[in-house]
Structures are given as C-alpha cells and as structure tokens.
Amino acid sequence: MSESVKNARGVERVLRAMDTSDGAGVSLRRSIGTPQLDMLDPFLMLDSLSTDNPDEYIAGFPEHPHRGFETVTYMVEGAMRHQDSMGNEGILRSGGGQWMTAGSGIVHSETPEQENGLLQGFQLWINLPAKDKMIDPRYQNMEPDELPEISPVDGAELRLLAGSMHGATGPINGISTDPVFVDAKLDAGAEITVPLPEGHTAVVYVFIGDAIVGGKDVPTHHLAILKDGDGVTLKGGPEGGRMLVIAARPIHEQVVRYGPFVMSSKQELMQAFDDYQRGNFVRKAAS
C-alpha cells in the first residue's frame, strides 16, 4: 500500500550537520540553527545526539528556561530524565518522546539516565505564532508503545509522533503549526511515499545509513530541505537508511530570539529576560 501523492516534493538543498556542543558540554550535530541555516520557518533548531562515549553526554542539560516556542525531544536509544518547573518528571526511553510547549515560560533540565552505552536522540525547536507565545505551558509525553508503528510496504517501517498517514495517527495533538513527525526506517532499496501537507515547510534528516530523498542522494547526518508538494518519496540506500521526516506550517512572522527565548519583538525579548530574572516563569503550586 502506498499513499496517493499527486505532486511529489523534490529537494531544494542538502546540508551537512555541523558538529557543536550544548548544555554542559554535550557533543551533538546541529542542522538547523547554524550559520548556514539560521532557521527554516517555523523550525528554529534541530540537534542530533549520537555517541557511545559517556564523556560526551553524561553532564546533560542542566536547568534552563524557555519561552515563546516548543521543544520536541525524541529518544532513539538510551534514557534521559526530564524535570521541569510545572512539576513534571519522567524518563524518556528508547522510542519515546515529549512535546513541550514552553509558552509563557518554563524551566527544565534533561539529564542522561545512564553512565555508558549509546545515547541517540533528537531535539527540535518549533516557533509559536505571536498570539500563542504567552499561552500556558503544556507537556505531552509519549511512551514508546504509544507511537503507532506501521509497515505500509515491505522493508519500510514508520513510527509516527505527529500527523496521519497510511491509516495511522501520531499521539501529538493541539499544535498550532499542524506538524508531521515520522521516524522512517528503510531496508536497502525499499521505497515509500510519505504524504505531507502542501504549503508546509518540510525536511528529511538521515541519521543512519543513507537514502534517496525526492530523487536525490542524502548521506548520513545530512539534512534535505524539501520543495513544496503533497508528499515525498524515500528510498533506502545500499545498506538501508533511517531518517526523520518533519513538516510544519510556516508562521510568516518576525522572529526576535536570544538563547532560550523566542519572541516577536525586542520589547518582548527584554520582558522575557526580566520575567525570568524575577522568578515569574511557571512554577508548580505549593501543595
């Protein structure tokens, strides 16, 4: 079974992810939010973490604030403990994830729950429209068994965090940019078409093996920026490939950002710093 697509997307550009570090010295690869690609409306940042060296991840991401956007964390392998100022706490395990709408402000931390072994995962930052930047923070947790796993064609496995396709729907809901977020694993030569809403900004990030995306070769740790259309055809490379397919509706608004705050004006940005320094971000009510 293959989804009906009338206007398949080609590839506008392929970029190699940049080696960098964040948090308390965690080594990662960044493909959006770099000098070569500052943002891709509404995507602000895409980081890929993949290392079996604990020295490169053990310090994690100590307590830090966010306001005005959403963070999506998806664990491929390993475990990460999440804690935030709303009182949420949990462990993200292999195949699980979280969609956190920071909104008016939240403070959180992410700490590896392991001292050795492979830690592999992603964090995506998505902008919020100006009208939603000060909404109440929201946290959607995804346990591994809550993500639909489908195999529409032989040699292709899809895991859906957000969006609907091939008769399945991801658990994430109520997001203003109407996102699609799919983990696609393809055997060598296996081919599948993933439907995507027309007009959405869309990318494919290959993180294991390589793939042919929209007719173009995309190696490991490269990001393919897609042209417009209603879907994209993916094909596993000579040794197969695994990739994220991500799409969301662009916002087309001014973005004024600094560090963990993403606002619509300089005044709002200054207010965010002031509110954080005064301790005005959301805190769990005392019981």
Side-chain angles (χ1 to χ4, degrees):
M1 179 178 72
S2 185
E3 202 87 7
S4 176
V5 167
K6 296 178 181 177
N7 181 24
R9 294 179 183 237
V11 173
E12 184 175 296
R13 190 177 171 195
V14 175
L15 299 173
R16 182 183 179 278
M18 184 183 80
D19 293 332
T20 185
S21 66
D22 210 335
V26 177
S27 298
L28 48 83
R29 295 179 177 89
R30 180 165 295 164
S31 52
I32 301 175
T34 70
Q36 63 178 347
L37 185 62
D38 178 54
M39 68 172 287
L40 192 65
D41 187 15
F43 305 128
L44 301 160
M45 190 183 79
L46 178 61
D47 284 350
S48 169
L49 168 62
S50 180
T51 177
D52 57 7
N53 178 0
D55 291 339
E56 295 184 348
Y57 64 70
I58 200 66
F61 303 89
E63 191 172 90
H64 57 283
H66 291 307
R67 172 181 279 184
F69 64 104
E70 301 182 288
T71 68
V72 185
T73 305
Y74 176 53
M75 293 301 301
V76 178
E77 294 288 343
M80 187 84 78
R81 178 176 294 275
H82 163 88
Q83 292 177 289
D84 66 40
S85 55
M86 292 192 298
N88 296 306
E89 181 176 356
I91 298 177
L92 286 170
R93 302 192 185 279
S94 301
Q98 60 162 260
W99 200 293
M100 188 178 75
T101 303
S104 61
I106 195 169
V107 180
H108 78 149
S109 63
E110 294 150 310
T111 309
E113 193 71 7
Q114 60 191 68
E115 295 182 359
N116 54 62
L118 176 63
L119 188 68
Q120 184 170 39
F122 293 89
Q123 187 163 91
L124 172 70
W125 288 14
I126 305 180
N127 195 22
L128 281 169
K131 66 181 181 64
D132 294 335
K133 285 189 178 293
M134 295 299 288
I135 61 175
D136 290 339
R138 182 185 183 207
Y139 173 85
Q140 297 185 67
N141 185 65
M142 296 168 280
E143 295 296 335
D145 60 2
E146 294 176 329
L147 299 183
E149 296 185 0
I150 55 177
S151 182
V153 299
D154 288 345
E157 297 177 12
L158 306 180
R159 304 187 79 238
L160 273 61
L161 283 76
S164 297
M165 63 191 66
H166 301 289
T169 299
I172 293 303
N173 61 74
I175 305 299
S176 59
T177 52
D178 189 25
V180 175
F181 194 117
V182 182
D183 175 356
K185 184 179 181 181
L186 303 178
D187 292 346
E191 184 174 302
I192 190 168
T193 298
V194 174
L196 297 168
E198 286 198 77
H200 273 36
T201 301
V203 297
V204 176
Y205 184 85
V206 178
F207 62 96
I208 296 176
D210 58 358
I212 299 171
V213 176
K216 193 171 185 68
D217 290 334
V218 181
T220 311
H221 300 307
H222 281 66
L223 180 83
I225 302 171
L226 304 183
K227 298 177 182 177
D228 201 8
D230 62 353
V232 62
T233 300
L234 310 172
K235 186 176 182 180
E239 296 181 5
R242 190 168 177 183
M243 63 218 74
L244 295 186
V245 183
I246 307 171
R249 182 186 298 113
I251 297 172
H252 302 302
E253 292 178 353
Q254 177 171 297
V255 174
V256 181
R257 64 193 282 196
Y258 189 88
F261 305 134
V262 183
M263 308 308 294
S264 300
S265 70
K266 185 176 179 181
Q267 290 76 15
E268 290 177 352
L269 189 65
M270 292 171 66
Q271 187 65 51
F273 277 99
D274 188 59
D275 286 345
Y276 175 61
Q277 289 165 358
R278 291 174 181 269
N280 292 339
F281 277 28
V282 170
R283 293 281 178 180
K284 183 182 179 183
S287 55

